[in-house]
Amino acid sequence: SEMKVALISPFIKDPLGTKIFYDDLEVQKVFSNNLLFLQKGQTDVLDSPTVSFDKVSPVLYRGRVEGARRPHVIVFSENYSPEWELSIGTGNEGSTSVEPLHFSANVYANAWYIEKSPKDYEIQIYYKPQKFFQAGLFVAALTIISILFISLKKRRDEKKH
């Protein structure tokens, strides 16, 4: 494979030019786009099960997949982020050991390629950074309650003296 890198330096007034050295360059992959190629006419490889879901909150969706007989793709039309997590459950039995492959679809959306799944199963799509927000909210509420408690106690002690 080949990669071309074009570096741009700031404009300088010296007509003879100036040497600019770039140091510690780093190249990182932005998306993990694992592609799936099909031969022409090989449309029976991907099965399209029936997917239904409910939006519980902006960061949590629960749904049901029915009729999955072969590997299939679930597309979630929300801005792509590797932090979206799809977990698969089989109802009363809890979650399965199926690990879906997460990639971006349609240039912006999240998608999961699921290879080995039960015929009918439940899904949950959750935005993982929400856990940090909830923990921060708890700490903030605890801090406010503590400050109120301390100030009320201090005020009560001042009235006694």
Side-chain angles (χ1 to χ4, degrees), residues 8-144:
I8 300 173
S9 61
F11 178 75
I12 53 169
K13 293 181 182 179
D14 184 4
L16 299 176
T18 301
K19 289 184 181 180
I20 297 177
F21 295 99
Y22 292 93
D23 198 8
D24 296 329
L25 292 177
E26 194 172 313
V27 178
Q28 295 180 352
K29 182 168 48 169
V30 176
F31 290 112
S32 60
N33 280 338
N34 296 316
L35 299 176
L36 176 68
F37 293 101
L38 299 175
Q39 288 183 342
K40 191 173 185 178
Q42 193 182 11
T43 56
D44 63 331
V45 173
L46 289 177
D47 195 9
S48 296
T50 304
V51 179
S52 59
F53 68 92
D54 293 317
K55 181 178 182 179
V56 178
S57 72
V59 296
L60 177 64
Y61 295 79
R62 288 196 178 110
R64 181 141 182 84
V65 177
E66 296 174 335
R69 292 172 185 79
R70 294 189 177 140
H72 55 280
V73 175
I74 294 178
V75 177
F76 177 57
S77 294
E78 190 70 43
N79 284 342
Y80 175 81
S81 170
E83 300 298 325
W84 282 104
E85 177 180 71
L86 180 128
S87 56
I88 296 176
T90 56
N92 299 335
E93 302 160 18
S95 63
T96 66
S97 61
V98 175
E99 290 196 26
L101 175 66
H102 187 202
F103 60 97
S104 67
N106 301 331
V107 185
Y108 76 96
N110 294 276
W112 288 271
Y113 176 71
I114 302 171
E115 196 166 12
K116 297 175 183 174
S117 69
K119 183 180 174 186
D120 300 322
Y121 59 91
E122 295 174 0
I123 59 171
Q124 178 173 298
I125 301 173
Y126 184 70
Y127 191 62
K128 292 185 283 186
Q130 183 68 17
K131 294 175 186 174
F132 298 118
F133 174 76
Q134 290 168 337
L137 200 59
F138 176 75
V139 169
L142 193 61
T143 303
I144 290 171

